[in-house]
């Protein structure tokens, strides 16, 4: 006998079996917290209702929401094999379909009017847990939010400022995806004691070498889990309203470039297997909490351009090989309960200083390529086509949520930058599972490691932009046909 799925509705948790229970069998359901721990401690042993091949318990049997709990079924004192986490959610509050748009063209938008003129339809926006949440009520600057029997406090000034961003993007027709971060210092000052609660307990802090820029989420303690779930629930509740009063967001990327964990999703030094076990928990909790409110919220793992290599193969406890991570994530999900996770990829050129990705030496065409850039993007496509990687017979989706092409202050380099964008877009159009190509960046940024990735050239001296670069005009025309009916990207 085996548990094949676990289904949640607003009041019940149902464990589906591959065969009916024998008459007279004694059955119990043991509930466990989803926090990552080496030895599971039971929260409760529940007496279920039994009907044929279904075992049912109350969702709130432990005086808190059991949506994200793991469950074990005992029959006659033996543990039944199969999945342990909720795999299906019924009765979501909102069920509108994931939006369809007529282009993959995306941008990290700075100027809404310009983005509208350019025909942008996809964007990804950073949201930081500690910017939104506060540890206590702040008179005149608090939005109270009830979740799982508790009141949580959200920073009103920051929330309303973010509302303006999401409304602006929604009004120009953008499909918006959150990039969920946990940084000690992003847009707001975070209370140091509160940071100790929400940061990963093994977070090393920002170092002189640039590592530790962002912490992994704390799903290791019960309090960290409670705040994280409230963060997700608040975002989904506010930004999937039918009236779109605060804008609409339909995707969530959990962390940033988690294969370079020590830098961008830091939980100290950790073997890949345990790191991914913790990350799988974050991914699953995000989807379960979000889908309970909006059924079609897409949840993504964030990866950089490394594949069978890592950012530093000499430090395997800090940097991980992406393919190994994805395979292991899928193994965890298959064993414990598959969910619809997807991939947010960053196929930057091999050397970020040079945009001519077609010359990338490590981006080989075989499945064991060290890196995946636009040159060999089909390697990632072949990976998600593997039968073992399918989700209920369907291929997982891909978004290219951050990548750009550098220029060097010369007309020749700016033309090369424009050519790189056009050729990259052509590769993207050849892979139907890629939903969006979100260019970084709209404007050159003087503080971005010396790179000039924008559509607009910045002034060498002082703030502000000087003029649009050639890539601007390629970007604008990319999904338009000329008088011969040929798309601009087809020329590259």
């Amino acid at each position: 006998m085996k548990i094949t799925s676990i289904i949640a509705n607003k009041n019940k948790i149902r464990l589906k079996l591959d065969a009916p229970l024998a008459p007279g069998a004694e059955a119990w359901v043991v509930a466990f917290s989803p926090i990552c721990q080496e030895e599971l401690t039971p929260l409760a042993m529940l007496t279920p209702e039994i009907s044929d091949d279904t075992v049912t318990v109350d969702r709130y049997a432990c005086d808190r929401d059991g949506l994200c709990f793991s469950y074990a079924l005992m029959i006659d004192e033996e543990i039944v094999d199969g999945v342990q986490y909720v795999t299906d959610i019924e009765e979501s509050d909102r069920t509108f379909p994931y939006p369809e748009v007529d282009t993959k063209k995306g941008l990290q938008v700075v100027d809404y009017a310009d983005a509208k003129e350019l025909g942008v339809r996809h964007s990804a926006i950073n949201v930081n847990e500690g910017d939104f949440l506060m540890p206590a009520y702040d008179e005149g600057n608090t939005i109270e939010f009830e979740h799982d029997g508790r009141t949580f406090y959200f920073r009103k000034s920051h929330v309303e400022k973010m509302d303006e961003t999401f409304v602006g993007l929604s009004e120009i027709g953008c499909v918006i995806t959150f990039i969920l971060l946990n940084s000690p210092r992003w847009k707001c000052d975070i209370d140091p004691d509160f940071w100790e609660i929400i940061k990963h307990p093994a977070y090393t802090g920002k170092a002189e070498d640039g590592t530790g820029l962002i912490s992994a989420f704390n799903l290791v303690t019960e309090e960290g889990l409670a705040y994280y779930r409230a963060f997700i629930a608040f975002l989904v509740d506010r930004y999937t309203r039918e009236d779109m009063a605060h804008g609409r967001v339909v995707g969530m990327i959990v962390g940033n470039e988690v294969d370079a964990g020590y830098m961008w999703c830091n939980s100290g030094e950790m073997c890949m297997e345990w790191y991914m076990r913790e990350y799988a928990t974050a991914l699953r909790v995000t989807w379960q909490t979000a889908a309970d409110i909006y059924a079609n919220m897409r949840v993504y793992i964030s990866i950089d351009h490394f594949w069978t290599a890592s950012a530093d193969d000499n430090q395997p406890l800090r940097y991980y090989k992406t393919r190994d991570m994805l395979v292991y994530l899928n193994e965890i999900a298959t064993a414990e309960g598959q969910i619809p996770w997807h991939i947010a990829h960053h196929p930057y050129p091999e050397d970020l200083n040079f945009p001519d990705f077609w010359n990338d030496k490590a981006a080989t065409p075989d499945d064991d390529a060290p890196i995946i850039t636009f040159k060999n993007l089909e390697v990632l496509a072949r990976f998600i086509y593997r039968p073992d990687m399918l989700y209920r017979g369907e291929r997982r989706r891909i978004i290219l949520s951050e990548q750009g092409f550098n220029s060097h202050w010369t007309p020749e380099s700016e033309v090369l930058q424009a050519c790189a964008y056009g050729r990259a877009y052509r590769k993207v159009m050849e892979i139907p599972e890629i939903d969006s190509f979100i260019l970084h960046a709209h404007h050159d940024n003087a503080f971005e490691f010396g790179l000039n990735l924008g559509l607009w050239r910045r002034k060498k001296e002082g703030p502000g932009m000087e003029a649009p670069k050639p890539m601007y005009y390629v970007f604008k025309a990319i999904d338009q046909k000329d008088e011969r009916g040929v798309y601009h990207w087809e020329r590259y």
Side-chain angles (χ1 to χ4, degrees):
M1 182 172 291
K2 188 173 184 179
I3 303 170
T4 58
S5 61
I6 301 180
I7 305 160
N9 61 29
K10 292 300 182 185
N11 299 301
K12 301 289 184 179
I13 303 289
R14 305 198 310 274
L15 285 67
K16 296 287 290 183
L17 309 174
D18 62 356
L21 269 70
E26 292 188 310
W28 298 270
V29 173
V30 187
F32 302 89
S33 169
I35 64 171
C36 296
Q37 49 191 331
E38 293 186 11
E39 293 186 14
L40 294 177
T41 303
L43 294 173
M45 183 172 285
L46 310 174
T47 303
E49 302 172 12
I50 301 173
S51 177
D52 197 28
D53 63 349
T54 304
V55 175
T56 304
V57 294
D58 288 339
R59 176 167 160 174
Y60 292 87
C62 299
D63 295 324
R64 54 188 274 208
D65 189 357
L67 175 65
C68 300
F69 289 175
S70 64
Y71 294 94
L73 176 62
M74 295 181 64
I75 299 177
D76 296 331
E77 300 186 358
E78 290 189 8
I79 298 292
V80 174
D81 190 21
V83 303
Q84 299 119 52
Y85 290 90
V86 168
T87 58
D88 298 83
I89 295 177
E90 299 175 335
E91 302 176 355
S92 301
D93 298 334
R94 299 158 194 169
T95 59
F96 60 85
Y98 187 89
E100 294 184 7
V101 292
D102 58 359
T103 179
K104 301 185 182 190
K105 183 162 48 176
L107 183 64
Q108 293 185 343
V109 175
V110 175
D111 181 331
Y112 302 131
D114 190 42
K116 182 177 181 180
E117 177 72 17
L118 290 165
V120 174
R121 290 293 179 270
H122 302 271
S123 193
I125 302 295
N126 295 315
V127 290
N128 189 52
E129 182 176 1
D131 289 348
F132 277 79
L133 276 161
M134 300 186 299
Y137 187 88
D138 181 9
E139 184 70 35
N141 191 32
T142 302
I143 298 173
E144 296 186 43
F145 183 71
E146 301 295 323
H147 186 256
D148 199 7
R150 290 177 57 177
T151 301
F152 293 88
Y153 305 107
F154 286 79
R155 187 176 282 104
K156 184 179 179 182
S157 57
H158 180 72
V159 171
E160 291 181 345
K161 188 169 184 178
M162 296 306 293
D163 288 351
E164 295 175 6
T165 297
F166 302 131
V167 168
L169 290 170
S170 297
E171 286 179 345
I172 65 173
C174 272
V175 175
I176 308 170
T177 300
F178 285 130
I179 305 168
L180 305 174
L181 302 178
N182 191 24
S183 172
R185 194 171 295 103
W186 201 256
K187 299 288 187 182
C188 303
D189 292 329
I190 300 172
D191 179 87
D193 292 335
F194 184 54
W195 174 243
E196 290 299 313
I197 295 173
I198 64 172
K199 75 175 180 65
H200 191 283
Y203 172 63
T204 62
K206 184 178 178 181
E208 291 183 3
D209 63 359
T211 58
L213 294 171
I214 300 173
S215 171
F217 293 104
N218 178 11
L219 278 77
V220 179
T221 69
E222 294 290 355
E223 196 70 352
L225 171 68
Y227 274 107
Y228 182 74
R229 289 201 65 221
F231 175 52
I232 299 303
F234 177 85
L235 293 176
V236 181
D237 180 68
R238 189 172 185 86
Y239 298 111
T240 63
R241 287 174 43 159
E242 295 291 347
D243 62 6
M244 297 177 63
H246 309 296
R248 173 163 291 173
V249 180
V250 291
M252 291 184 156
I253 302 170
V254 181
N256 181 60
E257 297 187 352
V258 298
D259 40 359
Y262 202 76
M263 179 173 290
W264 298 112
C265 200
N266 183 292
S267 54
E269 292 191 336
M270 190 177 292
C271 70
M272 183 274 288
E273 289 79 7
W274 191 257
Y275 181 85
M276 285 311 294
R277 180 157 292 282
E278 290 194 357
Y279 185 78
T281 300
L283 205 63
R284 182 189 299 112
V285 166
T286 303
W287 174 76
Q288 290 168 333
T289 305
D292 193 43
I293 301 169
Y294 169 47
N296 298 307
M297 179 67 70
R298 291 188 181 173
V299 175
Y300 303 85
I301 177 175
S302 172
I303 59 175
D304 62 22
H305 69 189
F306 288 97
W307 189 238
T308 62
S310 73
D312 189 342
D313 288 345
N314 294 317
Q315 299 196 74
L317 300 181
R318 295 185 174 192
Y319 303 99
Y320 311 107
K321 298 176 180 179
T322 307
R323 187 178 67 179
D324 291 350
M325 290 177 61
L326 293 176
V327 168
Y328 193 66
L329 171 63
N330 196 51
E331 290 175 357
I332 294 171
T334 299
E336 300 181 351
Q338 275 287 6
I339 63 168
W341 57 268
H342 305 283
I343 296 172
H345 182 38
H346 299 171
Y348 278 103
E350 182 173 359
D351 185 334
L352 271 64
N353 290 286
F354 300 100
D356 55 337
F357 62 83
W358 49 93
N359 291 320
D360 290 345
K361 291 181 172 58
T364 57
D366 58 284
D367 292 337
D368 296 326
I371 66 173
I372 296 177
T373 72
F374 284 105
K375 180 181 180 181
N376 63 340
L377 202 52
E378 63 277 3
V379 173
L380 181 59
R382 288 200 301 268
F383 179 79
I384 66 165
Y385 296 168
R386 287 171 32 167
D388 61 315
M389 294 304 300
L390 301 180
Y391 174 72
R392 298 182 176 177
E394 298 291 330
R395 295 166 181 165
R396 300 185 190 273
R397 308 303 303 179
I398 299 170
I399 61 173
L400 307 182
S401 54
E402 181 202 319
Q403 53 281 303
F405 307 99
N406 188 40
S407 64
H408 292 92
W409 299 102
T410 66
E412 294 81 4
S413 72
E414 291 184 354
V415 170
L416 186 62
Q417 179 193 44
C419 184
Y421 177 76
R423 292 183 68 163
Y425 206 92
R426 179 168 190 156
K427 291 295 292 279
V428 169
M429 293 299 293
E430 293 169 353
I431 302 174
E433 289 76 21
I434 296 178
D435 295 313
S436 61
F437 173 2
I438 300 173
L439 183 70
H440 176 71
H442 200 156
H443 292 173
D444 283 349
N445 182 351
F447 303 101
E448 191 154 26
F449 313 107
L451 300 172
N452 295 310
L453 303 174
L455 296 173
W456 285 78
R457 183 190 316 114
R458 63 184 172 90
K459 296 177 181 177
K460 280 191 174 182
E461 303 293 336
M465 295 299 115
E466 184 176 83
K469 293 188 272 184
M471 183 169 61
Y472 179 96
Y473 301 102
V474 176
F475 186 99
K476 183 176 181 179
I478 202 77
D479 273 341
Q480 298 179 16
K481 293 181 179 179
D482 63 18
E483 64 281 357
R484 298 169 297 166
V486 176
Y487 283 110
H488 194 94
W489 59 266
E490 291 181 309
R491 303 173 186 174
Y492 292 90

